[in-house]
Amino acid sequence: MSEVNATGLLVAQASLVNFEDVNTTYIELEYILGKMGWNPDKLLLELSQPCEELIKVCYWLGSEVPCPKIIRRTRTDNGFCCSYNVDSTMQPVLVKLNETGPRIPYRPKRLSGAGRHVGLSILIDVEPDTYMAPTKSYYGAEVYIHDSGDFPSDADFEHVAQPGWDVIMSVIPLPIESSRTMSQVPENMRKCFLPEESDAQSKENFNLNVCMAECRLRTILNLCNCIPFYYADL
């Protein structure tokens, strides 16, 4: 494989997250790499910026903490992400569907108060000089805020942090409760399911985002008989 072909194939990997058409030549080259043990999923993981190079400094609850001890690699529909305070046993939804043994619920870390100085603060370096096949029209990092057990693509908040920016994201909780009499209201009137009525696999952490992610996966499997790379097991 020539250097030109190899470079073109690496650039074409960006189409995995934006669903653009790929030259058939790259598909043939991808097949060759596959025989050598390099699938698109592994290539994206190896080519993505390592978390220790992206996130330089971390503060939690006002104290500096070693980033490698709290940041872990996770999947999103935009590629691989560096995450904090996510379920340490969180796996792609397909794996959850096939789980048979008991699963210990994850207990997310909680804040001791309110204010920007008690939350998570990080210093990042997106290394714009190393960009090879960007899928966006800017240099920077996309920041997602979501429940610790949710798939990141269903984030409740999303922002972009570009070089030189100081980005502050706040979360305002909105408690929603319903009385026990809600079960007496027909489903076609309340337009929602109660946890015990749902066929979702993740019943211990049932919410709208989990339900949507599982529904999306089942639909993809039924229509295409395959799944996107970010749902596959590492």
Side-chain angles (χ1 to χ4, degrees):
M1 182 183 299
S2 67
E3 181 178 350
V4 174
N5 286 340
T7 302
L9 177 60
L10 295 180
V11 172
Q13 298 301 303
S15 63
L16 288 175
V17 295
N18 58 22
F19 302 103
E20 293 180 356
D21 292 335
V22 179
N23 189 302
T24 55
T25 302
Y26 296 146
I27 297 178
E28 297 173 358
L29 296 175
E30 183 181 298
Y31 174 75
I32 296 175
L33 286 177
K35 296 178 65 176
M36 300 169 59
W38 288 90
N39 55 35
D41 186 46
K42 185 177 180 180
L43 281 172
L44 281 174
L45 179 60
E46 293 292 334
L47 293 171
S48 62
Q49 186 179 8
C51 293
E52 59 271 18
E53 296 181 11
L54 172 65
I55 303 178
K56 299 295 187 179
V57 182
C58 299
Y59 280 86
W60 174 250
L61 300 179
S63 300
E64 185 174 357
V65 293
C67 296
K69 291 186 177 181
I70 64 173
I71 302 297
R72 62 184 297 266
R73 181 80 69 174
T74 57
R75 294 171 180 270
T76 74
D77 53 2
N78 279 323
F80 290 93
C81 181
C82 301
S83 300
Y84 173 67
N85 203 18
V86 296
D87 193 336
S88 58
T89 60
M90 185 179 68
Q91 294 176 306
V93 180
L94 180 65
V95 178
K96 290 184 178 181
L97 293 174
N98 294 329
E99 283 183 350
T100 56
R103 178 175 176 271
I104 301 176
Y106 174 71
R107 294 183 178 180
K109 298 177 177 62
R110 304 290 184 181
L111 294 175
S112 58
R116 59 180 298 184
H117 298 295
V118 297
L120 176 68
S121 299
I122 59 175
L123 176 66
I124 65 174
D125 180 7
V126 297
E127 299 181 343
D129 293 338
T130 64
Y131 276 44
M132 180 179 181
T135 58
K136 307 293 183 179
S137 59
Y138 54 81
Y139 297 121
E142 291 184 329
V143 183
Y144 297 87
I145 297 181
H146 57 89
D147 187 270
S148 61
D150 286 353
F151 192 67
S153 63
D154 298 299
D156 296 312
F157 302 94
E158 180 182 350
H159 211 297
V160 174
Q162 298 190 52
W165 285 20
D166 184 9
V167 178
I168 301 174
M169 301 179 68
S170 60
V171 177
I172 301 177
L174 179 62
I176 300 178
E177 298 181 0
S178 61
S179 66
R180 295 182 179 275
T181 58
M182 180 63 70
S183 60
Q184 301 175 11
V185 180
E187 294 177 3
N188 61 345
M189 293 183 62
R190 50 182 152 95
K191 305 295 184 181
C192 65
F193 292 112
L194 300 176
E196 61 272 14
E197 298 172 340
S198 170
D199 60 353
Q201 302 296 318
S202 306
K203 293 184 180 296
E204 77 280 355
N205 190 29
F206 178 80
N207 58 42
L208 176 61
N209 289 345
V210 171
C211 181
M212 293 294 291
E214 293 189 3
C215 180
R216 187 182 303 115
L217 176 58
R218 287 195 294 267
T219 301
I220 294 174
L221 283 171
N222 290 334
L223 295 178
C224 306
N225 197 31
C226 64
I227 56 175
F229 78 95
Y230 46 84
Y231 279 127
D233 188 15
L234 278 171

